[in-house]
């Protein structure tokens, strides 16, 4: 094997892709990871970082394009950090995701027999997101811009019509930026901590058509707020215009305080027969078309007959809880964000659902405490944690409660594999897993799993 050094050039055939979507090839036995190269490409790359047995290369030239390569729909897909797989055909993206989940289950989970269902893909894998958070800043010419961060940086790529987002975003962004220019409202500057507008959060209820705009501000108010309202409220179905205060000098997008500027503080949307109220601070699945398929899978895996007690942990605004409540005897939800629980209770009320109850708190604290003090019971436990997965205290309580089935919804297959291993060493068997493509064009993959008690 030859060891290459920085600035060397190599030619490679890309034979694999890493979990972050980077192409992987070998030059004389030396492994090179190349961003923007896809499986099947024949390329020339320049080594930008060299280790002993592997290195990172920059794509310099595509000598022969892969049969799986295609023209990206978005002209700035390569610079933008939002999409990693746009240059790959959609079929190949789905294959990549199935493999990613399988690899994690084998390598991290130690599973050998994987009862995997085919990944659930999308028919139209564009314009699927109902939510976007656009950072606002300035370019070199000192003009106000908004768009997305370039990969792994905080430099903003100017783009108001991302092909993953709702088509109405562009008009809203145009109006907010025109207002900023006209009334000399400065964007926030991360370097100095000065300036006002940090992000523009836009949400759209795909079934209701309702729009929410929340401007995240490094301050309590904006100059001439009424002018901002005036320009936004004429957008058809504009429903909620709010301001979020975030004066912290960190990377967290939203602060805790919401002030209503116009309309109401929430929008509505429905999935299946259930209507949900969604506040700016509440989590709501970003891909409503796929969410419906995911929840139907959750219902199937939960195997409800009408007599079951279900605990839905990390319940957000109660989406899964209420979806399952129609087929269960009783559902309990636990969620850490108080506004989300307010939404969840209101959602149960407005849908006439009486067999769902919600608790604010950390899942890893509420469940163990209720189990210790009240000896609570569950036939089915559903978990849908953020990327870092479940806490050990929670997994221990689940194992002790011995529900017949555990339904695990996950947006990170690595932590999923870790947690499944833990539960399978404590009385459970992996019965089914179904990857679901909630985030086409990106490397992210959602999975849903059914564990049954041995
Ligand atoms: N099941 C919901 C939400 C899933 S997202 C849905 O499908 O819409 C994960 C949720 O977990 C978020 O709402 C987040 O606020 C919440 N969360 C994060 N950490 C938590 C914790 N330790 N305990 C309980 N909820 C938590």
């Amino acid at each position: 094997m030859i060891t290459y050094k920085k600035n060397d050039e190599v030619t490679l055939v890309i034979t694999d892709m890493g979990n972050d979507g980077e192409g992987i090839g070998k030059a004389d036995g030396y492994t090179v990871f190349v961003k923007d190269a896809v499986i099947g490409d024949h390329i020339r790359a320049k080594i930008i970082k060299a280790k002993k047995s592997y290195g990172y290369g920059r794509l310099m030239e595509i000598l022969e394009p892969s049969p799986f390569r295609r023209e990206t729909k978005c002209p700035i897909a390569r610079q933008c950090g939002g999409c990693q797989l746009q240059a790959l055909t959609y079929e190949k993206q789905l294959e990549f995701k199935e493999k990613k989940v399988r690899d994690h289950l084998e390598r991290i989970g130690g599973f050998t027999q994987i009862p995997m269902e085919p990944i659930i893909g999308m028919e139209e894998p564009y314009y699927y997101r109902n939510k976007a958070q656009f950072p606002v800043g300035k370019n070199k010419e000192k003009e106000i811009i908004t768009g997305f961060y370039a990969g792994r940086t905080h430099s903003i790529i100017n783009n108001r019509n991302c092909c993953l987002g709702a088509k109405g975003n562009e008009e809203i962004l145009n109006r907010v930026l025109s207002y900023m220019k006209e009334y000399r409202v400065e964007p926030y500057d991360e370097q100095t901590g000065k300036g006002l507008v940090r992000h523009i959060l836009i949400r759209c209820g795909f079934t209701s058509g309702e729009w929410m705009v929340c401007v995240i501000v490094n301050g309590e108010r904006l100059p001439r707020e009424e002018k901002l309202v005036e320009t936004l409220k004429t957008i058809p179905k504009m429903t909620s215009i709010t301001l979020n205060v975030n004066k912290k000098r960190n990377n967290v997008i939203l602060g805790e305080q919401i002030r209503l500027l116009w309309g109401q503080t929430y929008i509505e949307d429905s999935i299946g027969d259930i209507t949900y109220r969604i506040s700016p601070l509440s989590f709501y699945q970003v891909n409503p078309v796929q969410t419906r398929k995911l929840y139907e899978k959750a219902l199937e895996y939960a195997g409800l007959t009408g007599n079951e007690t279900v605990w839905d942990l990390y319940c957000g605004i109660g989406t899964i809880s209420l979806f399952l409540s129609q087929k269960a005897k009783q559902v309990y939800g636990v969620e850490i964000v108080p506004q989300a629980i307010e939404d969840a209770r209101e959602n149960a009320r407005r849908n006439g659902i009486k067999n769902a109850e919600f608790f604010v708190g950390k899942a890893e604290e509420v469940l163990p405490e209720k189990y210790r003090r009240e000896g609570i019971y569950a036939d089915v436990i559903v978990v849908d944690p953020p990327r870092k997965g479940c806490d050990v205290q929670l997994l221990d309580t689940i194992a002790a409660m011995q529900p017949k089935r555990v339904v695990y919804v996950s947006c990170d297959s690595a932590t999923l594999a870790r947690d499944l291993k833990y539960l399978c060493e404590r009385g459970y068997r992996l019965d089914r897993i179904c990857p679901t493509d909630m985030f086409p064009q990106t490397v992210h993959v959602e999975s849903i799993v059914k564990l049954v008690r041995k």
Side-chain angles (χ1 to χ4, degrees):
M1 189 191 80
I2 302 175
T3 295
Y4 286 95
K5 51 185 197 312
K6 193 173 170 180
N7 293 330
D8 281 350
E9 289 212 351
V10 291
T11 57
L12 301 166
V13 177
I14 301 298
T15 51
D16 203 355
M17 287 176 82
N19 286 331
D20 295 325
E22 70 281 22
I24 305 174
K26 279 193 192 269
D28 310 302
Y30 184 83
T31 304
V32 188
F33 298 88
V34 189
K35 188 179 160 312
D36 304 313
V38 308
I39 193 160
D41 275 345
H42 206 125
I43 63 159
R44 183 166 62 82
K46 185 187 215 165
I47 305 291
I48 48 176
K49 193 168 163 192
K51 304 262 182 176
K52 210 161 166 215
S53 61
Y54 67 94
Y56 298 90
R58 174 174 299 125
L59 177 61
M60 303 302 285
E61 189 188 350
I62 300 170
L63 302 170
E64 202 181 303
S66 160
F68 311 115
R69 174 177 278 282
R70 52 143 193 213
E71 181 119 12
T72 58
K73 193 178 182 85
C74 170
I76 54 159
R78 192 172 164 184
Q79 298 98 289
C80 177
C83 293
Q84 302 83 26
L85 299 180
Q86 241 195 69
L88 198 60
T89 61
Y90 189 53
E91 290 72 44
K92 221 44 191 175
Q93 290 184 24
L94 294 176
E95 224 175 85
F96 165 87
K97 292 185 188 191
E98 278 185 344
K99 179 168 174 292
K100 177 172 174 173
V101 173
R102 192 179 294 277
D103 280 355
H104 279 147
L105 288 187
E106 285 172 358
R107 283 196 299 105
I108 303 169
F111 293 96
T112 46
Q113 299 288 324
I114 299 171
M116 195 187 281
E117 298 193 56
I119 186 166
I120 303 176
M122 279 195 96
E123 260 155 51
E124 168 58 18
Y126 295 102
Y127 305 106
Y128 60 82
R129 287 187 65 102
N130 59 16
K131 174 187 167 183
Q133 304 178 114
F134 298 90
V136 185
K138 280 189 177 171
N139 62 9
K140 285 196 213 82
E141 288 75 39
K142 303 278 177 236
E143 291 156 346
I144 303 174
I145 55 166
T146 187
F148 297 92
Y149 291 131
R152 293 170 204 278
T153 74
H154 268 198
S155 58
I156 299 170
I157 309 252
N158 196 11
N159 179 17
R160 299 182 200 176
N161 59 356
C162 166
C163 62
L164 303 194
K167 287 186 177 149
N169 289 341
E170 188 177 9
E171 181 60 30
I172 293 175
L173 293 173
N174 289 346
R175 292 189 191 196
V176 178
L177 264 61
S178 300
Y179 149 82
M180 287 178 70
K181 268 183 213 137
E182 189 163 350
Y183 298 99
R184 296 173 192 273
V185 183
E186 286 292 306
Y188 175 69
D189 180 338
E190 276 183 340
Q191 248 62 47
T192 62
K194 298 217 165 70
L196 277 178
V197 178
R198 297 173 72 123
H199 276 82
I200 303 164
L201 163 71
I202 306 178
R203 256 182 177 153
C204 171
F206 276 26
T207 52
S208 65
E210 293 181 354
W211 288 97
M212 163 188 288
V213 179
C214 176
V215 184
I216 297 123
V217 177
N218 174 39
E220 305 286 337
R221 56 188 61 255
L222 287 168
R224 308 295 304 269
E225 277 168 0
E226 75 286 358
K227 293 290 175 194
L228 176 67
V229 166
E230 211 169 88
T231 172
L232 286 179
K233 73 179 186 193
T234 55
I235 286 178
K237 290 242 182 180
M238 180 56 64
T239 304
S240 170
I241 307 175
T242 57
L243 185 145
N244 177 270
V245 180
N246 184 2
K247 294 195 264 188
K248 296 213 176 101
R249 288 193 71 173
N250 61 21
N251 283 342
V252 180
I253 296 181
L254 284 161
E256 278 154 25
Q257 218 181 310
I258 294 277
R259 183 158 57 82
L260 182 65
L261 297 182
W262 182 83
Q264 56 195 43
T265 54
Y266 57 87
I267 56 166
E268 282 189 356
D269 195 27
S270 39
I271 301 172
D273 299 330
I274 305 204
T275 307
Y276 298 100
R277 163 184 120 166
I278 311 151
S279 302
L281 294 173
S282 298
F283 175 90
Y284 185 63
Q285 298 286 355
V286 297
N287 183 333
V289 171
Q290 294 299 87
T291 297
R292 178 165 188 174
K293 299 178 194 165
L294 182 76
Y295 289 176
E296 266 153 17
K297 224 4 131 189
L299 193 59
E300 176 193 325
Y301 283 2
L304 303 177
T305 61
N307 298 318
E308 291 81 5
T309 298
V310 180
W311 279 80
D312 175 21
L313 308 173
Y314 311 87
C315 69
I317 60 171
T319 31
I320 296 179
S321 324
L322 300 182
F323 206 79
L324 298 187
S325 71
Q326 299 160 295
K327 298 276 168 64
K329 186 170 92 193
Q330 177 69 37
V331 179
Y332 300 100
V334 182
E335 158 67 41
I336 199 169
V337 175
Q339 286 86 350
I341 287 291
E342 270 173 44
D343 284 350
R345 290 183 181 138
E346 176 61 21
N347 288 334
R349 200 193 56 74
R350 62 172 58 194
N351 287 286
I353 292 169
K354 302 222 158 61
N355 60 341
E357 199 181 327
F358 295 96
F359 305 99
V360 182
K362 290 186 181 167
E364 63 273 22
E365 290 175 5
V366 173
L367 199 75
E369 193 170 309
K370 288 207 172 285
Y371 180 59
R372 203 171 51 236
R373 293 226 183 123
E374 303 163 31
I376 51 162
Y377 169 84
D379 295 287
V380 179
I381 294 184
V382 180
V383 295
D384 184 3
R387 284 190 201 161
K388 70 173 185 207
C390 296
D391 250 59
V392 170
Q393 291 99 294
L394 176 64
L395 296 175
D396 284 337
T397 306
I398 293 174
M401 285 174 71
Q402 305 190 354
K404 297 183 195 82
R405 289 175 290 285
V406 175
V407 178
Y408 196 132
V409 182
S410 159
C411 54
D412 184 317
S413 46
T415 59
L416 170 71
R418 178 200 68 198
D419 292 351
L420 292 182
K421 178 169 194 272
Y422 196 85
L423 287 170
C424 288
E425 286 163 354
R426 286 163 182 77
Y428 286 86
R429 172 174 64 75
L430 177 59
D431 186 68
R432 283 261 187 294
I433 174 160
C434 185
T436 308
D437 195 17
M438 296 284 256
F439 317 104
Q441 321 305 336
T442 80
V443 292
H444 300 289
V445 55
E446 189 92 5
S447 307
I448 178 160
V449 173
K450 177 184 178 188
L451 296 177
V452 294
R453 183 138 187 94
K454 278 192 228 158

